[in-house]
Amino acid sequence: MVRDIERRDFVKGVGTAGIVGLAGCTGGGGGGSDNGSDGEETTTGTDSGGSGDGTTTGSDSGGSGGSASRSEPIRYGVLLPTTGDLASVGKPIRDAATLVGKQLQNADMGGLSVEYQEEDTQTSPQAGISAANSLVNAGVPGICGPASSGVNIQVSKQVFIPNGVVGCSPSSTAPSVTDLEDDGFIFRTAPSDALQGQVMAQVANENLGSSTAATMYVNNDYGQLLSESFVSAFEEAGGSVNNQVSFEKEQSSYTSKLQSALGDEPDLLIVIGYPASGIQIFKDFYADFDASNFDVLLTDGMKDPAMQKQVGNPMENVTGTAPAPVGPAADAFAQLYQEEYSREPGVFNAHAYDASAVLVLANAMAGENSGEKVAEMMPEVANPEGTEVTVENLAEGVQMAANGEPVMYQGASSPVDFDDAGDMASVSYDVWKFAPDSESGIEVSETIDFEK
């Protein structure tokens, strides 16, 4: 089922000072399992020489004329969390980002080659800054990542923008990303949480019939501002929220926080956080409270079937929202991902593939590994007009872009049309539930579409 809803002035009631950055987060399909390497830097595919650790290079067949006249490889970076609080869901997103490089390494591109380098943010701003500097020092002009907005905003301000390097996050959802003074270097394929808050309020009202709610949110920008975003939309629709309770990541018990949130017996409990913390939250919730008295609504950060399995409860009273991969090439991407990793892609996986694909196309059209030129070409290769390029003809599209031919990338997550702020012009959200008996562990009941 697909629903269209009109976009309202969603930051009303939150206030300008409150819009400072949600650490938009990520969920993964297939139990968060990782069929790749767990190291901070990994190498995959065929290494044609000249690259250091963490770098993979496609074979260069030489040739002459057109795209083959470019002697240097097309380079992009992958800066995502494979350790830390988001490790279980960061790895599948990393796999989707590197899938572009793997795919192109196995394709005939008329002498063009592609090289990618990975770094781990460790779900930490400081570690992310260090890892980003490693990529910049290696001469990478465009980077897929970071994942969370808490990391993305700091990395953008301290590394990407000052060094003139393009950042394209697949999952950083902070409204404040839109307003960064980024000199045109910061993009994202993920939607803003200003939209997800509105979707959550609609689901709370229309799907769950809730008139009162409480929120529990991880104590960072993502949690605080997505909580405020939901509260603003929910109260505007006539609901009431008595308690907003923050919590720290990966604590040994959350019983006291749950007591604070549920003390007024709301109809609905909103939980905003990450799987590593969610496991303990829901173990305490089902052990210490009468779960039948409450509906629960989760956000994208906890769309991880591995969490449900570790909680050891079917979590039948839990519903979630998350950005939906409903782009023109969604099915083709899902098939490619399944063939490579023997599991279904999860939330933000399609967004990571799209971010990497656009970075490669922009680099090809730029003609060199220049962050400034790649930034200029990002909208050129993604937005109308031009020859349609998708997952299925990406290698051909890279050659066309390198030859200066107009191309229009049509993505797996969305059509990938950038607006003036580097955000997506149209996005969709899934309403989902845990489904432990299904192959993916997640069941989507409907999709809600936004178009600016």
Side-chain angles (χ1 to χ4, degrees):
M1 176 181 178
V2 179
R3 280 191 288 173
D4 294 309
I5 59 180
E6 295 181 359
R7 189 170 180 229
R8 294 177 289 180
D9 182 9
F10 191 59
V11 297
K12 179 181 178 181
V14 176
T16 304
I19 308 294
V20 295
L22 297 158
C25 61
T26 57
S33 62
D34 179 32
N35 290 349
S37 169
D38 288 343
E40 284 91 3
E41 299 182 7
T42 63
T43 58
T44 53
T46 302
D47 188 355
S48 63
S51 60
D53 290 344
T55 304
T56 303
T57 309
S59 58
D60 187 350
S61 59
S64 62
S67 61
S69 63
R70 176 169 173 163
S71 60
E72 64 176 0
I74 294 169
R75 308 194 66 202
Y76 77 99
V78 177
L79 182 63
L80 294 165
T82 56
T83 59
D85 201 34
L86 285 176
S88 69
V89 293
K91 291 173 183 176
I93 298 174
R94 178 275 314 271
D95 290 343
T98 60
L99 184 57
V100 169
K102 295 174 183 177
Q103 177 186 3
L104 294 177
Q105 286 160 7
N106 294 320
D108 180 5
M109 295 198 299
L112 289 171
S113 63
V114 173
E115 175 181 300
Y116 65 87
Q117 180 171 331
E118 299 177 39
E119 293 287 345
D120 176 18
T121 68
Q122 303 176 39
T123 327
S124 161
Q126 287 305 311
I129 290 168
S130 177
N133 278 319
S134 295
L135 292 172
V136 171
N137 291 337
V140 176
I143 296 169
C144 174
S148 72
S149 293
V151 178
N152 184 38
I153 289 171
Q154 293 305 314
V155 167
S156 295
K157 288 181 176 180
Q158 299 190 43
V159 183
F160 291 164
I161 299 168
N163 288 284
V165 169
V166 176
C168 188
S169 175
S171 53
S172 172
T173 55
S176 57
V177 173
T178 302
D179 299 323
L180 280 172
E181 295 182 5
D182 62 1
D183 296 329
F185 286 104
I186 305 305
F187 298 81
R188 55 179 167 179
T189 52
S192 167
D193 272 333
L195 304 181
Q196 184 167 200
Q198 185 173 340
V199 171
M200 292 164 62
Q202 178 174 317
V203 171
N205 280 310
E206 298 182 10
N207 297 51
L208 302 176
S210 303
S211 59
T212 60
T215 68
M216 274 185 63
Y217 60 90
V218 62
N219 188 23
N220 61 17
D221 291 338
Y222 166 63
Q224 178 183 349
L225 292 176
L226 185 47
S227 175
E228 292 177 2
S229 184
F230 163 77
V231 170
S232 175
F234 188 64
E235 290 183 341
E236 184 179 340
S240 63
V241 179
N242 294 329
N243 297 312
Q244 297 184 65
V245 179
S246 67
F247 63 85
E248 301 301 324
K249 294 185 290 186
E250 298 187 75
Q251 301 298 297
S252 60
S253 173
Y254 289 99
T255 298
S256 63
K257 295 292 186 180
L258 285 162
Q259 288 173 337
S260 297
L262 299 174
D264 292 335
E265 298 187 353
D267 300 329
L268 177 67
L269 174 65
I270 304 289
V271 183
I272 305 166
Y274 311 129
S277 304
I279 292 167
Q280 189 61 50
I281 289 173
F282 283 100
K283 282 183 175 180
D284 293 342
F285 176 68
Y286 288 111
D288 300 333
F289 299 86
D290 185 354
S292 64
N293 289 338
F294 307 98
D295 285 318
V296 180
L297 183 60
L298 304 183
T299 57
D300 49 350
M302 290 191 180
K303 190 183 177 185
D304 182 4
M307 182 186 77
Q308 183 270 327
K309 293 174 184 176
Q310 293 183 63
V311 170
N313 188 290
M315 301 177 71
E316 294 175 346
N317 62 328
V318 174
T319 302
T321 62
V326 293
D331 291 342
F333 163 73
Q335 180 178 346
L336 183 67
Y337 188 98
Q338 178 81 36
E339 290 173 352
E340 180 68 27
Y341 300 115
S342 300
R343 51 179 155 83
E344 294 183 5
V347 69
F348 291 126
N349 289 189
H351 299 76
Y353 181 94
D354 289 342
S356 295
V358 173
L359 285 166
V360 169
L361 287 165
N363 191 314
M365 185 163 283
E368 61 180 286
N369 288 305
S370 161
E372 183 176 353
K373 291 187 177 180
V374 170
E376 291 176 2
M377 293 299 107
M378 290 287 281
E380 292 294 322
V381 300
N383 297 7
E385 302 283 335
T387 301
E388 183 173 305
V389 176
T390 71
V391 174
E392 297 176 288
N393 67 334
L394 181 60
E396 180 184 355
V398 172
Q399 292 180 75
M400 289 189 292
N403 285 326
E405 300 174 35
V407 298
M408 177 182 65
Y409 181 71
Q410 293 284 282
S413 62
S414 76
V416 193
D417 294 339
F418 293 111
D419 65 16
D420 291 341
D423 286 344
M424 291 292 91
S426 62
V427 295
S428 300
Y429 286 87
D430 281 339
V431 180
W432 57 272
K433 294 184 73 72
F434 290 114
D437 295 332
S438 71
E439 182 179 351
S440 67
I442 297 289
E443 181 179 83
V444 174
S445 60
E446 66 176 304
T447 300
I448 298 173
D449 294 332
F450 276 96
E451 186 166 354
K452 295 181 182 178

